[in-house]
């Protein structure tokens, strides 16, 4: 569990989940130390005693657990973060009783993950202005955050960000192999795995989280005015017809900048470019509701731990 997730840490929901899981004769162990959790999860998975690793936090907590648990370890989500984009995509709530039922039922779905400079992400990577906002937010962070926390870093980024040129080299999806044979330049770049972004924005409407591909969306011009125009296009669902917009699909790409520019992964700061990104098919195993399993994803299977 992440005590820094969301506007405030709702530890009572973690306690409620513990009580609800006990009704299904499931025992729980709570961790705030990721290294301890990593060791324990591997032990329990090896002995077939692991029903789920629960991410009690936001999208960053989910990515953290994916990076520190073995492939195939089923993840469950107790959304406590500011946006909770993956939970919204999977139609999951913070109702402890509902989540306990999902964990007991044991239905899972597998999603691809992106890997950026060796770090896994589930939703997206952003390069440019949005990453600068995230960088400033976290550099000044004191405790939990909420939506109003973004106002100052947005205003600071508007005043100071210089929109460096981003060079995107990629391997076209239809090409055999991952050789970077194509290139484009932009001032904004978003690498989408699961099509969810903050504020409900949908940058890549056709993206799917289990197709073995990454959707790369770029905008060419760099200024506050251009950014507002692009934002309006996204809000109205008309950005795909914009001349400045490019959308490609790939299994691997490299993004560089001159001068340097930041990047973010699933809403957390990642560092400074360059960025080498590839797809990791079916890397994320997540527990979903019985309804989703049988209606939207009929190939979803019961968790091995639930047998």
């Amino acid at each position: 569990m992440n005590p820094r997730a969301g506007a405030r840490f709702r530890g009572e929901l973690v306690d409620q989940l513990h009580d609800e899981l006990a009704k299904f004769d499931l025992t729980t162990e709570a961790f705030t130390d990721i290294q301890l959790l990593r060791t324990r999860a591997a032990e329990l998975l090896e002995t077939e005693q692991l029903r789920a690793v629960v991410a009690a936090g936001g999208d960053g907590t989910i990515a953290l657990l994916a990076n520190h648990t073995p492939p195939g370890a089923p993840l469950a989500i107790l959304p406590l973060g500011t946006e909770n984009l993956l939970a919204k995509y999977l139609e999951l709530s913070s109702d402890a009783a509902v989540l306990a039922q999902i964990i007991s039922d044991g239905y899972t779905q597998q999603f691809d993950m992106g890997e950026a400079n060796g770090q896994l992400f589930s939703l997206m990577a952003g390069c440019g202005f949005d990453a600068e906002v995230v960088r400033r937010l976290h550099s000044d962070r004191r405790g939990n955050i909420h939506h109003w926390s973004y106002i100052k870093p947005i205003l600071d980024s508007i005043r100071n960000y210089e929109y460096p040129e981003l060079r995107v080299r990629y391997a076209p999806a239809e090409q055999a192999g991952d050789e970077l044979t194509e290139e484009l330049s932009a001032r904004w770049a978003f690498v989408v795995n699961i099509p969810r972004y903050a504020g409900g924005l949908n940058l890549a409407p056709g993206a799917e989280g289990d197709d073995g591909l990454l959707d790369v969306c770029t905008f060419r011009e760099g200024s506050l005015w251009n950014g507002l125009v692009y934002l309006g296009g996204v809000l109205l669902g008309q950005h795909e017809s914009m001349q400045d917009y490019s959308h490609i699909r790939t299994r691997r790409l490299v993004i560089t900048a001159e001068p340097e520019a930041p990047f973010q992964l699933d809403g957390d700061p990642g560092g400074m470019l360059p960025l080498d990104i590839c797809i990791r098919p079916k890397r994320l195993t997540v527990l979903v509701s019985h309804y989703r399993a049988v209606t939207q994803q009929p190939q979803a299977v019961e968790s091995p731990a639930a047998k």
Side-chain angles (χ1 to χ4, degrees):
M1 52 190 177
N2 180 8
R4 288 160 60 88
R8 61 188 179 89
F9 178 60
R10 291 172 287 176
E12 66 274 10
L13 291 177
V14 175
D15 295 336
Q16 289 174 19
L17 180 59
H18 168 85
D19 295 339
E20 293 294 336
L21 288 170
K23 297 176 183 178
F24 295 99
D25 294 326
L26 294 170
T27 60
T28 61
E29 299 177 37
F31 297 87
T32 56
D33 186 314
I34 191 63
Q35 297 303 329
L36 292 177
L37 182 142
R38 177 178 189 166
T39 301
R40 188 65 173 140
E43 292 173 351
L44 293 173
L45 185 66
E46 177 69 21
T47 57
E48 299 184 351
Q49 298 180 75
L50 180 65
R51 176 61 60 87
V53 178
V54 181
D59 293 302
T61 306
I62 298 168
L64 181 67
L65 291 182
N67 277 282
H68 288 85
T69 52
L75 298 184
I77 303 171
L78 180 60
L80 302 179
T82 306
E83 286 283 351
N84 303 306
L85 298 174
L86 184 56
K88 291 176 182 176
Y89 179 74
L90 298 174
E91 299 179 302
L92 299 172
S93 74
S94 56
D95 187 310
V98 172
L99 181 57
Q101 183 67 61
I102 289 173
I103 294 172
S104 176
D105 290 342
Y107 289 96
T108 65
Q109 182 180 349
Q110 288 187 311
F111 289 98
D112 304 332
M113 296 196 80
E115 183 178 303
N117 290 357
Q119 293 295 307
L120 296 171
F121 65 92
S122 63
L123 297 164
M124 55 86 66
C127 305
F129 181 86
D130 71 317
E132 176 67 7
V133 172
V134 170
R135 184 191 69 80
R136 289 178 179 274
L137 171 68
H138 285 265
S139 66
D140 296 333
R141 180 173 181 172
R142 299 293 183 271
N144 299 66
I145 63 172
H146 45 76
H147 288 98
W148 293 107
S149 303
Y150 286 86
I151 293 178
K152 183 178 185 299
I154 288 174
L155 293 176
D156 289 343
S157 298
I158 288 173
R159 287 193 293 265
N160 298 296
Y161 189 66
E162 296 182 353
Y163 303 93
E165 182 177 18
L166 308 176
R167 180 189 181 198
V168 181
R169 294 181 293 127
Y170 64 95
E174 63 275 11
Q175 171 185 294
D178 293 337
E179 184 180 357
L180 306 178
T181 59
E182 300 293 328
E183 180 178 327
L184 59 86
S185 62
R187 306 287 174 167
W188 317 65
F190 306 91
V191 183
V192 179
N193 179 44
I194 293 176
R196 286 295 181 274
Y197 190 73
L201 301 179
N202 196 348
L203 295 162
E208 297 180 4
D210 57 0
D211 60 359
L213 295 172
L214 295 165
D215 289 66
V216 184
C217 308
T218 66
F219 295 93
R220 191 170 58 199
E221 301 299 331
S223 70
L224 175 59
W225 169 249
N226 288 119
L228 294 174
V229 171
Y230 299 151
L231 175 60
V234 174
L235 289 171
L236 295 173
Q238 298 176 352
H239 60 292
E240 292 180 293
S241 63
M242 289 182 170
Q243 187 175 4
D244 289 352
Y245 175 82
S246 294
H247 178 199
I248 59 100
R249 289 178 172 169
T250 181
R251 288 178 292 274
R252 179 171 177 254
L253 69 152
V254 171
I255 305 177
T256 57
E258 184 61 43
E260 67 178 9
F263 69 90
Q264 57 98 350
L265 303 175
D266 287 348
D268 282 343
M272 307 299 287
L273 298 175
L275 193 57
D276 192 329
I277 305 180
C278 63
I279 192 74
R280 295 300 183 207
K282 312 299 183 185
R283 176 59 178 82
L284 178 65
T285 301
V286 62
L287 285 153
V288 297
S289 68
H290 176 263
Y291 176 81
R292 182 181 179 89
V294 300
T295 60
Q296 299 187 34
Q297 294 292 334
Q299 76 274 22
V301 296
E302 190 177 16
S303 167
K307 296 180 180 178

